[in-house]
Amino acid sequence: MTRQCVYIKTADPERDDMNILMIEDDKDLCETVSFSLRQEGFSVDVCHDGEEGLYYMEDGIHDLVILDRMLPHMDGITLLKEARKRGIRTPVIFLTALGELNDKLTGLNCGADDYMVKPFAFEELLARIHCLLRRPGTYDSSPVLKLEDITYDPATRRLSGNGTECTLSNREGNLLEIFLRNPGQTLPRTLLLNRVWGPDSDVEEGNLDNYIHFLRRRLKTVKSGLSVRTVRGVGYQIG
């Protein structure tokens, strides 16, 4: 029988550890904006390719997406249309050089929540981010996850099961969330490294092994019957 991971919608507008995904092929702009957002207390992931951006959006771990229109492999309009068609409701701000009225209407009509034109003031972008994150229902993209005898809430990073609970670190939580969204599947090491540390990170592979060890200890803490198994030469799976 295939295991099913249950998603329970939640909302917590007072969270201050919001996750933002920036999909933009201008690496210098990504670096500048992501640095400024981190200074404001946000967690930021970046990618520079449309197809990869859609892949990240499907994870459902981000509270808001900043999206360029002109991207390699898949343009921003196509990406957003596909995301909405797949039921991804994460709020999206277009941040693009295309600023004609028809450009703005096209972006908003295909599912964007806001539209900003380059060049821009960071203070205005920040204000629009806060405005979107205050909207009711914005946090539906961060569900509580349940698999067998455990429940994990990404909003609070609380793992509970069998009458016990504990709090996970950011990376432990992100790693567990990926496993819970893909129960029974073997997840390659490169995939886990890219999703947890980011595609541009130079993190050593040994760090992944360390966090797998930490995650196994967390599952033991809540007395779960689940385990993270090593698939030799490939990666890991939960089951």
Side-chain angles (χ1 to χ4, degrees):
M1 180 181 295
T2 302
R3 290 189 171 99
Q4 296 293 321
C5 183
V6 179
Y7 294 61
I8 306 169
K9 300 297 183 182
T10 188
D12 185 0
E14 299 303 319
R15 285 173 57 192
D16 58 4
D17 58 336
M18 309 303 296
N19 297 314
I20 292 178
L21 172 65
M22 186 170 186
I23 309 173
E24 165 67 63
D25 63 345
D26 184 333
K27 295 185 179 181
D28 290 336
L29 179 62
C30 277
E31 184 175 347
T32 300
V33 173
S34 61
F35 174 81
S36 298
L37 288 172
R38 290 180 183 121
Q39 292 294 104
E40 296 292 330
F42 293 99
S43 174
V44 185
D45 295 315
V46 300
C47 64
H48 313 298
D49 175 281
E51 289 183 352
E52 185 180 43
L54 180 60
Y55 183 69
Y56 274 89
M57 286 183 70
E58 286 189 299
D59 279 345
I61 64 174
H62 298 97
D63 303 287
L64 183 138
V65 176
I66 299 172
L67 176 64
D68 189 17
R69 282 190 56 168
M70 296 179 287
L71 295 165
H73 299 120
M74 181 185 291
D75 66 87
I77 293 293
T78 303
L79 186 162
L80 184 54
K81 285 182 177 179
E82 183 62 26
R84 297 307 189 218
K85 186 165 68 175
R86 297 184 188 186
I88 301 169
R89 294 186 290 164
T90 309
V92 171
I93 299 176
F94 266 123
L95 185 60
T96 173
L98 301 177
E100 297 296 325
L101 177 59
N102 285 340
D103 295 322
K104 295 178 181 178
L105 292 176
T106 298
L108 293 169
N109 287 335
C110 78
D113 298 87
D114 203 346
Y115 197 104
M116 286 189 67
V117 179
K118 303 172 184 175
F120 63 97
F122 175 75
E123 291 78 9
E124 181 181 358
L125 174 62
L126 185 62
R128 294 191 185 210
I129 289 171
H130 283 302
C131 181
L132 276 179
L133 294 178
R134 285 196 299 268
R135 285 185 184 177
T138 294
Y139 303 85
D140 281 356
S141 59
S142 296
V144 171
L145 306 173
K146 183 175 178 60
L147 180 63
E148 302 227 347
D149 60 351
I150 64 170
T151 300
Y152 177 64
D153 183 355
T156 60
R157 300 196 303 276
R158 299 293 292 177
L159 173 64
S160 58
N162 304 295
T164 311
E165 63 178 26
C166 61
T167 301
L168 277 60
S169 69
N170 275 326
R171 287 216 166 95
E172 288 173 341
N174 290 340
L175 188 58
L176 178 61
E177 187 168 351
I178 294 167
F179 281 120
L180 293 181
R181 291 182 184 278
N182 300 277
Q185 296 185 36
T186 300
L187 304 180
R189 295 176 62 86
T190 53
L191 181 147
L192 295 171
L193 284 165
N194 284 340
R195 294 205 194 179
V196 177
W197 280 269
D200 298 322
S201 174
D202 58 358
V203 63
E204 296 181 359
E205 285 205 17
N207 281 358
L208 174 59
D209 300 318
N210 290 336
Y211 275 89
I212 292 293
H213 173 70
F214 298 154
L215 203 53
R216 286 168 172 160
R217 289 198 309 182
R218 299 295 193 182
L219 291 172
K220 287 183 179 179
T221 297
V222 296
K223 304 173 184 176
S224 175
L226 291 167
S227 63
V228 179
R229 295 193 291 267
T230 301
V231 181
R232 192 172 300 277
V234 182
Y236 299 96
Q237 69 172 217
I238 195 169

